[in-house]
Amino acid sequence: MQATLVERLEKAINSLMIRFAPVWYATQSLQRMSLPDYAPLNPLVTDANQWFNLPTALNSACAALLEEGNGWQGLAKELEHLAVQKLIQRPVSLTRLTGAHHLPPYDGFSAAPTLREAVLALENEQAAIESDEAFDDLMRALPRSLQATHREWDGRLLLNSHELLEQMIPLIEYAGVRQRDAMVPANLIIEGVRQEALERIRTKYWWFVMHPDSAQALTILFSQCGFSAAHSGPVGPSEGHAFFFAPKSSQRLNKVVLQLMSSRRSTQLSEFGRFLSKHRHRFRTP
């Protein structure tokens, strides 16, 4: 009976604080809230299945915001058209390839940071090329229809023609050891972000990446305090990340967000819009 009375009293006090001092209540709650670290956003491995897929994550966030309703349709529309792809024909260096979705089953191959480093770590599992002439002949034998994707937002070069990888391994090894050019004509997809749309989003909204549990807990707290907030639900290859959104139009809400940012580590939450704005790696032919 006593515990029930205390709980009721605490609930009544919380309700009063939420009603008359929502900023104070929210900031005090944030100090007590435990936010787990989110997984590394983009691990340096050749296994592209572990890479963060930006277009897929944006589509998931767009669908979640449309389902949320309540004025989130504008942001959903911006996110829907934020990622852009352009197809060009450019020579691609085999030694600059970062990874692929389908890799050979060699020990440690998928854990290397680039295909070049993965290949150079192999122990004679591929027949070595013995001369420059043999190298040039094998380079000419590669199909001229190689396909790859350059991700401007993180600088990675993804091999889409994964079926050619076994044929390319000796070439990557020879070029890597001897520092030879290994340029192949390719159909190259440039995966980027519309900078104008990104700046519109950053002007109007807070946009964070964090652990899905954190995003859900923050959305509940903000909603309890009468602040507008939404999250994407789990996104990413292991569903270990989530986006959290809040409008910048409320000064009271902004105070809460700034308190949140100042009291948390970057491994617990990070401004994703700022990350995309700062990281732009244009494709350049060596």
Side-chain angles (χ1 to χ4, degrees), residues 94-95 109 115-131 135 139 165-180 182:
L94 300 186
T95 58
F109 198 92
L115 287 180
R116 177 182 180 275
E117 293 180 62
V119 168
L120 292 180
L122 293 177
E123 296 182 358
N124 299 321
E125 297 199 45
Q126 292 289 312
I129 298 175
E130 297 181 352
S131 66
F135 173 81
M139 285 291 293
L165 185 52
E166 288 281 3
Q167 184 179 350
M168 291 162 53
I169 284 177
L171 296 167
I172 295 174
E173 189 271 340
Y174 189 88
V177 170
R178 291 163 179 79
Q179 299 184 350
R180 281 283 309 265

PDB file of all heavy atoms in Angstrom, residues 94-95 109 115-131 135 139 165-180 182:
ATOM      1  N   LEU A  94      42.162  -1.469 -60.301  1.00  0.00           N
ATOM      2  CA  LEU A  94      41.844  -2.669 -59.535  1.00  0.00           C
ATOM      3  C   LEU A  94      42.391  -2.588 -58.116  1.00  0.00           C
ATOM      4  O   LEU A  94      41.810  -3.152 -57.185  1.00  0.00           O
ATOM      5  CB  LEU A  94      42.408  -3.904 -60.236  1.00  0.00           C
ATOM      6  CG  LEU A  94      41.921  -4.196 -61.666  1.00  0.00           C
ATOM      7  CD1 LEU A  94      42.471  -5.530 -62.140  1.00  0.00           C
ATOM      8  CD2 LEU A  94      40.402  -4.177 -61.741  1.00  0.00           C
ATOM      9  N   THR A  95      43.512  -1.905 -57.929  1.00  0.00           N
ATOM     10  CA  THR A  95      44.115  -1.832 -56.596  1.00  0.00           C
ATOM     11  C   THR A  95      43.402  -0.849 -55.672  1.00  0.00           C
ATOM     12  O   THR A  95      43.702  -0.801 -54.483  1.00  0.00           O
ATOM     13  CB  THR A  95      45.600  -1.436 -56.695  1.00  0.00           C
ATOM     14  OG1 THR A  95      45.713  -0.177 -57.370  1.00  0.00           O
ATOM     15  CG2 THR A  95      46.385  -2.503 -57.457  1.00  0.00           C
ATOM     16  N   PHE A 109      40.085 -12.966 -45.571  1.00  0.00           N
ATOM     17  CA  PHE A 109      39.900 -12.130 -46.758  1.00  0.00           C
ATOM     18  C   PHE A 109      38.834 -11.053 -46.512  1.00  0.00           C
ATOM     19  O   PHE A 109      39.023  -9.892 -46.884  1.00  0.00           O
ATOM     20  CB  PHE A 109      39.498 -12.996 -47.951  1.00  0.00           C
ATOM     21  CG  PHE A 109      39.699 -12.340 -49.286  1.00  0.00           C
ATOM     22  CD1 PHE A 109      40.878 -12.508 -49.996  1.00  0.00           C
ATOM     23  CD2 PHE A 109      38.706 -11.556 -49.837  1.00  0.00           C
ATOM     24  CE1 PHE A 109      41.067 -11.894 -51.220  1.00  0.00           C
ATOM     25  CE2 PHE A 109      38.877 -10.940 -51.070  1.00  0.00           C
ATOM     26  CZ  PHE A 109      40.063 -11.107 -51.772  1.00  0.00           C
ATOM     27  N   LEU A 115      40.524  -4.666 -50.857  1.00  0.00           N
ATOM     28  CA  LEU A 115      40.800  -5.885 -51.617  1.00  0.00           C
ATOM     29  C   LEU A 115      42.304  -6.043 -51.855  1.00  0.00           C
ATOM     30  O   LEU A 115      42.818  -7.169 -51.849  1.00  0.00           O
ATOM     31  CB  LEU A 115      40.059  -5.838 -52.952  1.00  0.00           C
ATOM     32  CG  LEU A 115      38.534  -6.047 -52.892  1.00  0.00           C
ATOM     33  CD1 LEU A 115      37.938  -5.966 -54.284  1.00  0.00           C
ATOM     34  CD2 LEU A 115      38.186  -7.373 -52.250  1.00  0.00           C
ATOM     35  N   ARG A 116      43.000  -4.952 -52.077  1.00  0.00           N
ATOM     36  CA  ARG A 116      44.447  -5.038 -52.283  1.00  0.00           C
ATOM     37  C   ARG A 116      45.131  -5.664 -51.070  1.00  0.00           C
ATOM     38  O   ARG A 116      45.954  -6.592 -51.214  1.00  0.00           O
ATOM     39  CB  ARG A 116      45.020  -3.641 -52.551  1.00  0.00           C
ATOM     40  CG  ARG A 116      46.530  -3.600 -52.719  1.00  0.00           C
ATOM     41  CD  ARG A 116      47.007  -2.161 -52.920  1.00  0.00           C
ATOM     42  NE  ARG A 116      48.460  -2.096 -53.073  1.00  0.00           N
ATOM     43  CZ  ARG A 116      49.316  -2.046 -52.053  1.00  0.00           C
ATOM     44  NH1 ARG A 116      48.855  -2.051 -50.805  1.00  0.00           N
ATOM     45  NH2 ARG A 116      50.619  -1.979 -52.279  1.00  0.00           N
ATOM     46  N   GLU A 117      44.796  -5.192 -49.876  1.00  0.00           N
ATOM     47  CA  GLU A 117      45.412  -5.739 -48.676  1.00  0.00           C
ATOM     48  C   GLU A 117      44.989  -7.180 -48.436  1.00  0.00           C
ATOM     49  O   GLU A 117      45.769  -7.995 -47.946  1.00  0.00           O
ATOM     50  CB  GLU A 117      45.074  -4.851 -47.478  1.00  0.00           C
ATOM     51  CG  GLU A 117      45.717  -3.479 -47.549  1.00  0.00           C
ATOM     52  CD  GLU A 117      45.378  -2.608 -46.368  1.00  0.00           C
ATOM     53  OE1 GLU A 117      45.720  -2.971 -45.238  1.00  0.00           O
ATOM     54  OE2 GLU A 117      44.750  -1.544 -46.580  1.00  0.00           O
ATOM     55  N   ALA A 118      43.740  -7.505 -48.771  1.00  0.00           N
ATOM     56  CA  ALA A 118      43.280  -8.885 -48.621  1.00  0.00           C
ATOM     57  C   ALA A 118      44.058  -9.813 -49.546  1.00  0.00           C
ATOM     58  O   ALA A 118      44.478 -10.909 -49.151  1.00  0.00           O
ATOM     59  CB  ALA A 118      41.786  -8.965 -48.918  1.00  0.00           C
ATOM     60  N   VAL A 119      44.267  -9.381 -50.793  1.00  0.00           N
ATOM     61  CA  VAL A 119      44.979 -10.204 -51.770  1.00  0.00           C
ATOM     62  C   VAL A 119      46.447 -10.365 -51.374  1.00  0.00           C
ATOM     63  O   VAL A 119      47.008 -11.465 -51.442  1.00  0.00           O
ATOM     64  CB  VAL A 119      44.860  -9.587 -53.177  1.00  0.00           C
ATOM     65  CG1 VAL A 119      45.818 -10.260 -54.144  1.00  0.00           C
ATOM     66  CG2 VAL A 119      43.420  -9.703 -53.682  1.00  0.00           C
ATOM     67  N   LEU A 120      47.091  -9.286 -50.947  1.00  0.00           N
ATOM     68  CA  LEU A 120      48.506  -9.361 -50.591  1.00  0.00           C
ATOM     69  C   LEU A 120      48.744 -10.225 -49.347  1.00  0.00           C
ATOM     70  O   LEU A 120      49.866 -10.698 -49.125  1.00  0.00           O
ATOM     71  CB  LEU A 120      49.061  -7.953 -50.359  1.00  0.00           C
ATOM     72  CG  LEU A 120      49.149  -7.063 -51.597  1.00  0.00           C
ATOM     73  CD1 LEU A 120      49.699  -5.692 -51.250  1.00  0.00           C
ATOM     74  CD2 LEU A 120      49.994  -7.721 -52.683  1.00  0.00           C
ATOM     75  N   ALA A 121      47.700 -10.437 -48.556  1.00  0.00           N
ATOM     76  CA  ALA A 121      47.845 -11.280 -47.368  1.00  0.00           C
ATOM     77  C   ALA A 121      47.663 -12.761 -47.677  1.00  0.00           C
ATOM     78  O   ALA A 121      47.924 -13.614 -46.819  1.00  0.00           O
ATOM     79  CB  ALA A 121      46.834 -10.849 -46.299  1.00  0.00           C
ATOM     80  N   LEU A 122      47.210 -13.092 -48.894  1.00  0.00           N
ATOM     81  CA  LEU A 122      47.050 -14.497 -49.261  1.00  0.00           C
ATOM     82  C   LEU A 122      48.406 -15.188 -49.344  1.00  0.00           C
ATOM     83  O   LEU A 122      49.413 -14.579 -49.727  1.00  0.00           O
ATOM     84  CB  LEU A 122      46.335 -14.608 -50.618  1.00  0.00           C
ATOM     85  CG  LEU A 122      44.878 -14.155 -50.670  1.00  0.00           C
ATOM     86  CD1 LEU A 122      44.348 -14.255 -52.095  1.00  0.00           C
ATOM     87  CD2 LEU A 122      44.013 -14.989 -49.735  1.00  0.00           C
ATOM     88  N   GLU A 123      48.418 -16.461 -49.022  1.00  0.00           N
ATOM     89  CA  GLU A 123      49.674 -17.224 -49.040  1.00  0.00           C
ATOM     90  C   GLU A 123      49.674 -18.190 -50.223  1.00  0.00           C
ATOM     91  O   GLU A 123      49.335 -19.368 -50.100  1.00  0.00           O
ATOM     92  CB  GLU A 123      49.841 -17.986 -47.728  1.00  0.00           C
ATOM     93  CG  GLU A 123      49.976 -17.064 -46.516  1.00  0.00           C
ATOM     94  CD  GLU A 123      50.187 -17.836 -45.237  1.00  0.00           C
ATOM     95  OE1 GLU A 123      50.198 -19.084 -45.293  1.00  0.00           O
ATOM     96  OE2 GLU A 123      50.338 -17.197 -44.181  1.00  0.00           O
ATOM     97  N   ASN A 124      50.012 -17.641 -51.402  1.00  0.00           N
ATOM     98  CA  ASN A 124      50.190 -18.455 -52.612  1.00  0.00           C
ATOM     99  C   ASN A 124      48.968 -19.296 -52.953  1.00  0.00           C
ATOM    100  O   ASN A 124      49.084 -20.407 -53.453  1.00  0.00           O
ATOM    101  CB  ASN A 124      51.414 -19.374 -52.465  1.00  0.00           C
ATOM    102  CG  ASN A 124      52.699 -18.591 -52.263  1.00  0.00           C
ATOM    103  OD1 ASN A 124      52.891 -17.552 -52.881  1.00  0.00           O
ATOM    104  ND2 ASN A 124      53.553 -19.088 -51.385  1.00  0.00           N
ATOM    105  N   GLU A 125      47.794 -18.762 -52.653  1.00  0.00           N
ATOM    106  CA  GLU A 125      46.581 -19.515 -52.995  1.00  0.00           C
ATOM    107  C   GLU A 125      46.156 -19.247 -54.433  1.00  0.00           C
ATOM    108  O   GLU A 125      45.242 -19.884 -54.946  1.00  0.00           O
ATOM    109  CB  GLU A 125      45.449 -19.167 -52.023  1.00  0.00           C
ATOM    110  CG  GLU A 125      45.762 -19.562 -50.591  1.00  0.00           C
ATOM    111  CD  GLU A 125      44.511 -19.638 -49.751  1.00  0.00           C
ATOM    112  OE1 GLU A 125      43.519 -20.216 -50.234  1.00  0.00           O
ATOM    113  OE2 GLU A 125      44.516 -19.139 -48.626  1.00  0.00           O
ATOM    114  N   GLN A 126      46.783 -18.264 -55.060  1.00  0.00           N
ATOM    115  CA  GLN A 126      46.502 -17.964 -56.460  1.00  0.00           C
ATOM    116  C   GLN A 126      47.795 -18.092 -57.256  1.00  0.00           C
ATOM    117  O   GLN A 126      48.892 -17.814 -56.752  1.00  0.00           O
ATOM    118  CB  GLN A 126      45.948 -16.539 -56.604  1.00  0.00           C
ATOM    119  CG  GLN A 126      44.564 -16.353 -55.993  1.00  0.00           C
ATOM    120  CD  GLN A 126      43.493 -17.059 -56.795  1.00  0.00           C
ATOM    121  OE1 GLN A 126      43.433 -16.928 -58.010  1.00  0.00           O
ATOM    122  NE2 GLN A 126      42.659 -17.820 -56.135  1.00  0.00           N
ATOM    123  N   ALA A 127      47.668 -18.542 -58.494  1.00  0.00           N
ATOM    124  CA  ALA A 127      48.848 -18.667 -59.350  1.00  0.00           C
ATOM    125  C   ALA A 127      49.446 -17.291 -59.599  1.00  0.00           C
ATOM    126  O   ALA A 127      48.762 -16.358 -60.003  1.00  0.00           O
ATOM    127  CB  ALA A 127      48.460 -19.324 -60.669  1.00  0.00           C
ATOM    128  N   ALA A 128      50.762 -17.138 -59.336  1.00  0.00           N
ATOM    129  CA  ALA A 128      51.416 -15.853 -59.483  1.00  0.00           C
ATOM    130  C   ALA A 128      51.649 -15.539 -60.958  1.00  0.00           C
ATOM    131  O   ALA A 128      51.877 -16.430 -61.784  1.00  0.00           O
ATOM    132  CB  ALA A 128      52.738 -15.854 -58.729  1.00  0.00           C
ATOM    133  N   ILE A 129      51.595 -14.253 -61.304  1.00  0.00           N
ATOM    134  CA  ILE A 129      51.931 -13.794 -62.649  1.00  0.00           C
ATOM    135  C   ILE A 129      53.437 -13.582 -62.697  1.00  0.00           C
ATOM    136  O   ILE A 129      54.021 -12.950 -61.818  1.00  0.00           O
ATOM    137  CB  ILE A 129      51.177 -12.498 -62.972  1.00  0.00           C
ATOM    138  CG1 ILE A 129      49.666 -12.751 -62.934  1.00  0.00           C
ATOM    139  CG2 ILE A 129      51.583 -11.953 -64.329  1.00  0.00           C
ATOM    140  CD1 ILE A 129      48.836 -11.501 -63.123  1.00  0.00           C
ATOM    141  N   GLU A 130      54.073 -14.088 -63.732  1.00  0.00           N
ATOM    142  CA  GLU A 130      55.541 -14.136 -63.743  1.00  0.00           C
ATOM    143  C   GLU A 130      56.202 -13.009 -64.520  1.00  0.00           C
ATOM    144  O   GLU A 130      57.414 -12.816 -64.407  1.00  0.00           O
ATOM    145  CB  GLU A 130      56.000 -15.482 -64.307  1.00  0.00           C
ATOM    146  CG  GLU A 130      55.560 -16.669 -63.456  1.00  0.00           C
ATOM    147  CD  GLU A 130      56.038 -17.989 -64.020  1.00  0.00           C
ATOM    148  OE1 GLU A 130      56.581 -17.991 -65.149  1.00  0.00           O
ATOM    149  OE2 GLU A 130      55.875 -19.013 -63.341  1.00  0.00           O
ATOM    150  N   SER A 131      55.435 -12.246 -65.305  1.00  0.00           N
ATOM    151  CA  SER A 131      56.093 -11.211 -66.112  1.00  0.00           C
ATOM    152  C   SER A 131      55.115 -10.098 -66.433  1.00  0.00           C
ATOM    153  O   SER A 131      53.896 -10.256 -66.328  1.00  0.00           O
ATOM    154  CB  SER A 131      56.619 -11.807 -67.424  1.00  0.00           C
ATOM    155  OG  SER A 131      55.534 -12.227 -68.234  1.00  0.00           O
ATOM    156  N   PHE A 135      51.072 -10.186 -67.346  1.00  0.00           N
ATOM    157  CA  PHE A 135      50.146  -9.269 -66.673  1.00  0.00           C
ATOM    158  C   PHE A 135      49.328  -8.486 -67.691  1.00  0.00           C
ATOM    159  O   PHE A 135      48.095  -8.374 -67.581  1.00  0.00           O
ATOM    160  CB  PHE A 135      50.935  -8.324 -65.763  1.00  0.00           C
ATOM    161  CG  PHE A 135      50.107  -7.237 -65.138  1.00  0.00           C
ATOM    162  CD1 PHE A 135      49.340  -7.493 -64.004  1.00  0.00           C
ATOM    163  CD2 PHE A 135      50.101  -5.950 -65.670  1.00  0.00           C
ATOM    164  CE1 PHE A 135      48.576  -6.480 -63.433  1.00  0.00           C
ATOM    165  CE2 PHE A 135      49.344  -4.941 -65.102  1.00  0.00           C
ATOM    166  CZ  PHE A 135      48.580  -5.205 -63.979  1.00  0.00           C
ATOM    167  N   MET A 139      45.301  -8.556 -68.256  1.00  0.00           N
ATOM    168  CA  MET A 139      44.524  -7.327 -68.139  1.00  0.00           C
ATOM    169  C   MET A 139      43.639  -7.137 -69.365  1.00  0.00           C
ATOM    170  O   MET A 139      42.468  -6.761 -69.259  1.00  0.00           O
ATOM    171  CB  MET A 139      45.457  -6.123 -67.970  1.00  0.00           C
ATOM    172  CG  MET A 139      46.076  -5.996 -66.581  1.00  0.00           C
ATOM    173  SD  MET A 139      44.870  -5.550 -65.295  1.00  0.00           S
ATOM    174  CE  MET A 139      44.427  -3.895 -65.803  1.00  0.00           C
ATOM    175  N   LEU A 165      36.078 -11.530 -59.604  1.00  0.00           N
ATOM    176  CA  LEU A 165      37.076 -11.319 -58.565  1.00  0.00           C
ATOM    177  C   LEU A 165      38.175 -12.377 -58.580  1.00  0.00           C
ATOM    178  O   LEU A 165      39.361 -12.056 -58.443  1.00  0.00           O
ATOM    179  CB  LEU A 165      36.401 -11.270 -57.192  1.00  0.00           C
ATOM    180  CG  LEU A 165      37.310 -10.927 -56.010  1.00  0.00           C
ATOM    181  CD1 LEU A 165      38.099  -9.648 -56.268  1.00  0.00           C
ATOM    182  CD2 LEU A 165      36.495 -10.798 -54.732  1.00  0.00           C
ATOM    183  N   GLU A 166      37.803 -13.640 -58.746  1.00  0.00           N
ATOM    184  CA  GLU A 166      38.832 -14.693 -58.783  1.00  0.00           C
ATOM    185  C   GLU A 166      39.818 -14.452 -59.924  1.00  0.00           C
ATOM    186  O   GLU A 166      41.024 -14.666 -59.767  1.00  0.00           O
ATOM    187  CB  GLU A 166      38.163 -16.064 -58.949  1.00  0.00           C
ATOM    188  CG  GLU A 166      37.421 -16.555 -57.720  1.00  0.00           C
ATOM    189  CD  GLU A 166      38.361 -17.136 -56.669  1.00  0.00           C
ATOM    190  OE1 GLU A 166      39.588 -17.114 -56.876  1.00  0.00           O
ATOM    191  OE2 GLU A 166      37.868 -17.611 -55.628  1.00  0.00           O
ATOM    192  N   GLN A 167      39.314 -13.988 -61.055  1.00  0.00           N
ATOM    193  CA  GLN A 167      40.172 -13.685 -62.196  1.00  0.00           C
ATOM    194  C   GLN A 167      41.053 -12.464 -61.921  1.00  0.00           C
ATOM    195  O   GLN A 167      42.165 -12.361 -62.449  1.00  0.00           O
ATOM    196  CB  GLN A 167      39.286 -13.437 -63.423  1.00  0.00           C
ATOM    197  CG  GLN A 167      40.027 -13.210 -64.718  1.00  0.00           C
ATOM    198  CD  GLN A 167      39.056 -12.993 -65.890  1.00  0.00           C
ATOM    199  OE1 GLN A 167      37.845 -13.198 -65.756  1.00  0.00           O
ATOM    200  NE2 GLN A 167      39.583 -12.568 -67.025  1.00  0.00           N
ATOM    201  N   MET A 168      40.569 -11.553 -61.071  1.00  0.00           N
ATOM    202  CA  MET A 168      41.290 -10.317 -60.810  1.00  0.00           C
ATOM    203  C   MET A 168      42.339 -10.453 -59.705  1.00  0.00           C
ATOM    204  O   MET A 168      43.262  -9.637 -59.629  1.00  0.00           O
ATOM    205  CB  MET A 168      40.274  -9.226 -60.430  1.00  0.00           C
ATOM    206  CG  MET A 168      39.386  -8.795 -61.591  1.00  0.00           C
ATOM    207  SD  MET A 168      37.891  -7.928 -61.024  1.00  0.00           S
ATOM    208  CE  MET A 168      38.602  -6.672 -59.987  1.00  0.00           C
ATOM    209  N   ILE A 169      42.209 -11.460 -58.852  1.00  0.00           N
ATOM    210  CA  ILE A 169      43.108 -11.573 -57.696  1.00  0.00           C
ATOM    211  C   ILE A 169      44.584 -11.604 -58.091  1.00  0.00           C
ATOM    212  O   ILE A 169      45.399 -10.860 -57.519  1.00  0.00           O
ATOM    213  CB  ILE A 169      42.712 -12.795 -56.828  1.00  0.00           C
ATOM    214  CG1 ILE A 169      41.464 -12.452 -56.015  1.00  0.00           C
ATOM    215  CG2 ILE A 169      43.849 -13.206 -55.906  1.00  0.00           C
ATOM    216  CD1 ILE A 169      40.934 -13.598 -55.169  1.00  0.00           C
ATOM    217  N   PRO A 170      45.004 -12.415 -59.089  1.00  0.00           N
ATOM    218  CA  PRO A 170      46.426 -12.374 -59.480  1.00  0.00           C
ATOM    219  C   PRO A 170      46.853 -11.017 -60.014  1.00  0.00           C
ATOM    220  O   PRO A 170      47.997 -10.592 -59.796  1.00  0.00           O
ATOM    221  CB  PRO A 170      46.521 -13.460 -60.562  1.00  0.00           C
ATOM    222  CG  PRO A 170      45.340 -14.335 -60.353  1.00  0.00           C
ATOM    223  CD  PRO A 170      44.257 -13.452 -59.840  1.00  0.00           C
ATOM    224  N   LEU A 171      45.953 -10.344 -60.700  1.00  0.00           N
ATOM    225  CA  LEU A 171      46.268  -9.019 -61.235  1.00  0.00           C
ATOM    226  C   LEU A 171      46.441  -8.001 -60.110  1.00  0.00           C
ATOM    227  O   LEU A 171      47.362  -7.176 -60.149  1.00  0.00           O
ATOM    228  CB  LEU A 171      45.148  -8.568 -62.181  1.00  0.00           C
ATOM    229  CG  LEU A 171      44.961  -9.428 -63.435  1.00  0.00           C
ATOM    230  CD1 LEU A 171      43.650  -9.082 -64.128  1.00  0.00           C
ATOM    231  CD2 LEU A 171      46.135  -9.236 -64.388  1.00  0.00           C
ATOM    232  N   ILE A 172      45.558  -8.044 -59.113  1.00  0.00           N
ATOM    233  CA  ILE A 172      45.667  -7.138 -57.971  1.00  0.00           C
ATOM    234  C   ILE A 172      46.963  -7.395 -57.216  1.00  0.00           C
ATOM    235  O   ILE A 172      47.661  -6.473 -56.796  1.00  0.00           O
ATOM    236  CB  ILE A 172      44.443  -7.294 -57.047  1.00  0.00           C
ATOM    237  CG1 ILE A 172      43.158  -6.854 -57.771  1.00  0.00           C
ATOM    238  CG2 ILE A 172      44.625  -6.474 -55.772  1.00  0.00           C
ATOM    239  CD1 ILE A 172      41.890  -7.119 -56.990  1.00  0.00           C
ATOM    240  N   GLU A 173      47.310  -8.682 -57.066  1.00  0.00           N
ATOM    241  CA  GLU A 173      48.532  -9.039 -56.349  1.00  0.00           C
ATOM    242  C   GLU A 173      49.779  -8.530 -57.093  1.00  0.00           C
ATOM    243  O   GLU A 173      50.665  -7.914 -56.496  1.00  0.00           O
ATOM    244  CB  GLU A 173      48.592 -10.567 -56.182  1.00  0.00           C
ATOM    245  CG  GLU A 173      49.698 -11.058 -55.261  1.00  0.00           C
ATOM    246  CD  GLU A 173      51.007 -11.303 -55.993  1.00  0.00           C
ATOM    247  OE1 GLU A 173      50.970 -11.466 -57.239  1.00  0.00           O
ATOM    248  OE2 GLU A 173      52.061 -11.317 -55.331  1.00  0.00           O
ATOM    249  N   TYR A 174      49.820  -8.747 -58.396  1.00  0.00           N
ATOM    250  CA  TYR A 174      50.981  -8.338 -59.197  1.00  0.00           C
ATOM    251  C   TYR A 174      51.120  -6.809 -59.194  1.00  0.00           C
ATOM    252  O   TYR A 174      52.225  -6.279 -58.975  1.00  0.00           O
ATOM    253  CB  TYR A 174      50.823  -8.850 -60.624  1.00  0.00           C
ATOM    254  CG  TYR A 174      52.049  -8.689 -61.490  1.00  0.00           C
ATOM    255  CD1 TYR A 174      53.035  -9.673 -61.521  1.00  0.00           C
ATOM    256  CD2 TYR A 174      52.221  -7.558 -62.286  1.00  0.00           C
ATOM    257  CE1 TYR A 174      54.171  -9.529 -62.319  1.00  0.00           C
ATOM    258  CE2 TYR A 174      53.336  -7.401 -63.084  1.00  0.00           C
ATOM    259  CZ  TYR A 174      54.309  -8.393 -63.102  1.00  0.00           C
ATOM    260  OH  TYR A 174      55.430  -8.241 -63.884  1.00  0.00           O
ATOM    261  N   ALA A 175      49.998  -6.115 -59.411  1.00  0.00           N
ATOM    262  CA  ALA A 175      50.036  -4.655 -59.451  1.00  0.00           C
ATOM    263  C   ALA A 175      50.352  -4.080 -58.076  1.00  0.00           C
ATOM    264  O   ALA A 175      51.064  -3.077 -57.966  1.00  0.00           O
ATOM    265  CB  ALA A 175      48.703  -4.118 -59.955  1.00  0.00           C
ATOM    266  N   GLY A 176      49.842  -4.711 -57.033  1.00  0.00           N
ATOM    267  CA  GLY A 176      50.084  -4.217 -55.684  1.00  0.00           C
ATOM    268  C   GLY A 176      51.525  -4.353 -55.257  1.00  0.00           C
ATOM    269  O   GLY A 176      52.098  -3.431 -54.659  1.00  0.00           O
ATOM    270  N   VAL A 177      52.152  -5.470 -55.586  1.00  0.00           N
ATOM    271  CA  VAL A 177      53.543  -5.697 -55.206  1.00  0.00           C
ATOM    272  C   VAL A 177      54.481  -4.799 -55.996  1.00  0.00           C
ATOM    273  O   VAL A 177      55.428  -4.216 -55.457  1.00  0.00           O
ATOM    274  CB  VAL A 177      53.918  -7.181 -55.388  1.00  0.00           C
ATOM    275  CG1 VAL A 177      55.419  -7.376 -55.235  1.00  0.00           C
ATOM    276  CG2 VAL A 177      53.158  -8.047 -54.388  1.00  0.00           C
ATOM    277  N   ARG A 178      54.218  -4.654 -57.293  1.00  0.00           N
ATOM    278  CA  ARG A 178      55.126  -3.913 -58.171  1.00  0.00           C
ATOM    279  C   ARG A 178      54.696  -2.470 -58.399  1.00  0.00           C
ATOM    280  O   ARG A 178      55.301  -1.768 -59.201  1.00  0.00           O
ATOM    281  CB  ARG A 178      55.238  -4.653 -59.512  1.00  0.00           C
ATOM    282  CG  ARG A 178      55.972  -5.980 -59.372  1.00  0.00           C
ATOM    283  CD  ARG A 178      55.730  -6.889 -60.541  1.00  0.00           C
ATOM    284  NE  ARG A 178      56.461  -8.144 -60.393  1.00  0.00           N
ATOM    285  CZ  ARG A 178      56.061  -9.145 -59.615  1.00  0.00           C
ATOM    286  NH1 ARG A 178      54.930  -9.031 -58.915  1.00  0.00           N
ATOM    287  NH2 ARG A 178      56.772 -10.256 -59.513  1.00  0.00           N
ATOM    288  N   GLN A 179      53.621  -2.077 -57.731  1.00  0.00           N
ATOM    289  CA  GLN A 179      53.098  -0.718 -57.868  1.00  0.00           C
ATOM    290  C   GLN A 179      52.828  -0.377 -59.330  1.00  0.00           C
ATOM    291  O   GLN A 179      53.175   0.711 -59.818  1.00  0.00           O
ATOM    292  CB  GLN A 179      54.059   0.290 -57.233  1.00  0.00           C
ATOM    293  CG  GLN A 179      54.258   0.067 -55.744  1.00  0.00           C
ATOM    294  CD  GLN A 179      55.131   1.113 -55.088  1.00  0.00           C
ATOM    295  OE1 GLN A 179      55.762   1.930 -55.754  1.00  0.00           O
ATOM    296  NE2 GLN A 179      55.177   1.094 -53.770  1.00  0.00           N
ATOM    297  N   ARG A 180      52.224  -1.310 -60.026  1.00  0.00           N
ATOM    298  CA  ARG A 180      51.848  -1.136 -61.425  1.00  0.00           C
ATOM    299  C   ARG A 180      50.449  -0.536 -61.522  1.00  0.00           C
ATOM    300  O   ARG A 180      49.601  -0.730 -60.653  1.00  0.00           O
ATOM    301  CB  ARG A 180      51.837  -2.496 -62.130  1.00  0.00           C
ATOM    302  CG  ARG A 180      53.194  -3.030 -62.537  1.00  0.00           C
ATOM    303  CD  ARG A 180      53.707  -2.320 -63.793  1.00  0.00           C
ATOM    304  NE  ARG A 180      52.739  -2.303 -64.860  1.00  0.00           N
ATOM    305  CZ  ARG A 180      52.684  -3.206 -65.853  1.00  0.00           C
ATOM    306  NH1 ARG A 180      53.557  -4.202 -65.893  1.00  0.00           N
ATOM    307  NH2 ARG A 180      51.791  -3.107 -66.812  1.00  0.00           N
ATOM    308  N   ALA A 182      46.784  -0.651 -62.886  1.00  0.00           N
ATOM    309  CA  ALA A 182      45.893  -1.756 -63.252  1.00  0.00           C
ATOM    310  C   ALA A 182      44.528  -1.169 -63.572  1.00  0.00           C
ATOM    311  O   ALA A 182      43.537  -1.440 -62.899  1.00  0.00           O
ATOM    312  CB  ALA A 182      45.809  -2.782 -62.123  1.00  0.00           C
TER     313      ALA A 182
END
